[in-house]
Amino acid sequence: MKKITIAIDGFSSTGKSTVAKQLAKALGYVYVDSGAMYRAVTLYAMQNGIISNDHFDVEKLIADLDRLKINFKYNNAIGFAEIYLNGVNVEHDIRTLEVSQWVSQVAEISEVRRMLVFQQQQMGKEKGVVMDGRDIGTVVFPEAELKFFMTASAETRAKRRFKELLERNENVSYEEVLKNVESRDLIDSTREDSPLKKAKDAIEIDNSSLSLEAQFEKLYAFAREVIEKK
Ligand code: CDP
């Protein structure tokens, strides 16, 4: 059976990665978390004094981009690939609220986007990939056979993210998380380069009141339909 490309875009904490992983597993496809790549660049900037307190040296980050090696390695134990920054597994470190507070400013930089989009296109060139992010259906794979656009209310999303951060023992308040979700949505959807927007041919899914199972069944049914027609 022919393989397709599945693009999943949407606002922060809409559960894109959960359903993308489920789909990849069910179809035997590769899952790529494009947001993890923007987070890894942000972590690099934080570790190297490029971002500190309220200061962000954009020129220095651009100058350093060719020193950054980002790649994914499959982890058998968990059944998914984990992200590495210059040879170090940073899967855990990229998911802090601190990284979330800077990542959208890093993702606005065209030089950063150009580098990461190129890598994403390389990873997906054989198809058989489920990739989630903000510009996958619009910029990275405009020809993807199946595109989803996920939405949910800001409060629902902040609650989900707050719970995740608490489970990781992060010392954060619900208000901080909600503020971050809202501010990233605003930056992501109003930036000049590749703003977050629904691709014309994307299927919109509001999952505010969908269980994880119901959501998966819904997307999986669309995927089967498209794949069977191939
Ligand atoms: O927190 P959440 O899982 O929703 O976000 P993420 O997928 O980890 O992405 C983190 C940030 O990276 C987003 O808020 C965007 O600023 C940026 N991003 C992007 O610009 N383009 C992508 N394809 C993916 C993420």
Side-chain angles (χ1 to χ4, degrees):
M1 210 176 284
K2 273 216 175 137
K3 295 199 162 189
I4 64 165
T5 302
I6 302 179
I8 306 183
D9 289 304
F11 295 100
S12 67
S13 316
T14 36
K16 300 180 299 287
S17 69
T18 306
V19 72
K21 279 182 185 164
Q22 290 171 319
L23 276 180
K25 204 162 224 164
L27 296 167
Y29 282 19
V30 173
Y31 163 60
V32 180
D33 176 355
S34 71
M37 300 168 79
Y38 291 91
R39 288 175 176 275
V41 175
T42 308
L43 184 67
Y44 174 91
M46 288 167 49
Q47 288 173 339
N48 290 277
I50 295 171
I51 287 176
S52 56
N53 302 324
D54 282 343
H55 181 73
F56 178 11
D57 189 342
V58 175
E59 293 310 316
K60 170 96 170 75
L61 179 61
I62 294 172
D64 266 23
L65 284 180
D66 55 4
R67 293 198 193 173
L68 255 120
K69 191 169 170 274
I70 292 172
N71 60 296
F72 290 92
K73 254 193 236 164
Y74 191 80
N75 178 338
N76 259 323
I78 55 168
F80 291 103
E82 292 180 303
I83 192 159
Y84 285 71
L85 168 64
N86 292 335
V88 179
N89 183 331
V90 291
E91 188 62 40
H92 186 263
D93 295 355
I94 58 168
R95 315 230 175 245
T96 61
L97 183 61
E98 221 188 332
V99 170
S100 296
Q101 278 159 344
W102 284 100
V103 64
S104 289
Q105 272 132 285
V106 169
E108 278 186 302
I109 303 167
S110 291
E111 286 81 354
V112 171
R113 303 204 69 83
R114 215 175 301 139
M115 175 178 96
L116 298 185
V117 167
F118 175 75
Q119 285 188 29
Q120 290 153 8
Q121 289 170 335
Q122 294 298 313
M123 288 188 265
K125 70 174 192 261
E126 311 288 343
K127 299 201 180 237
V129 60
V130 184
M131 195 176 291
D132 75 340
R134 301 292 187 286
D135 60 342
I136 310 305
T138 51
V139 175
V140 181
F141 300 123
E143 309 297 331
E145 291 86 349
L146 184 57
K147 302 177 184 178
F148 294 108
F149 190 81
M150 314 287 289
T151 63
S153 71
E155 288 74 19
T156 306
R157 296 186 282 117
K159 270 187 209 145
R160 288 179 187 154
R161 184 50 52 98
F162 180 53
K163 192 166 160 265
E164 270 171 31
L165 290 168
L166 286 190
E167 280 162 8
R168 290 167 41 106
N169 292 323
E170 291 232 7
N171 183 16
V172 294
S173 69
Y174 170 74
E175 286 66 33
E176 270 179 306
V177 176
L178 177 63
K179 212 170 115 205
N180 176 250
V181 162
E182 288 175 333
S183 97
R184 274 198 291 139
D185 286 351
L186 180 68
I187 304 175
D188 292 349
S189 45
T190 55
R191 70 180 171 223
E192 218 159 283
D193 190 342
S194 321
L196 166 65
K197 62 167 191 262
K198 179 180 166 298
K200 281 197 198 79
D201 50 350
I203 300 164
E204 187 164 338
I205 310 271
D206 182 332
N207 66 11
S208 305
S209 54
L210 276 184
S211 71
L212 286 183
E213 256 176 4
Q215 161 172 279
F216 166 70
E217 291 302 335
K218 199 168 178 161
L219 273 67
Y220 186 61
F222 279 115
R224 299 289 323 171
E225 198 184 317
V226 175
I227 293 168
E228 271 151 31
K229 277 200 210 127
K230 274 253 132 197

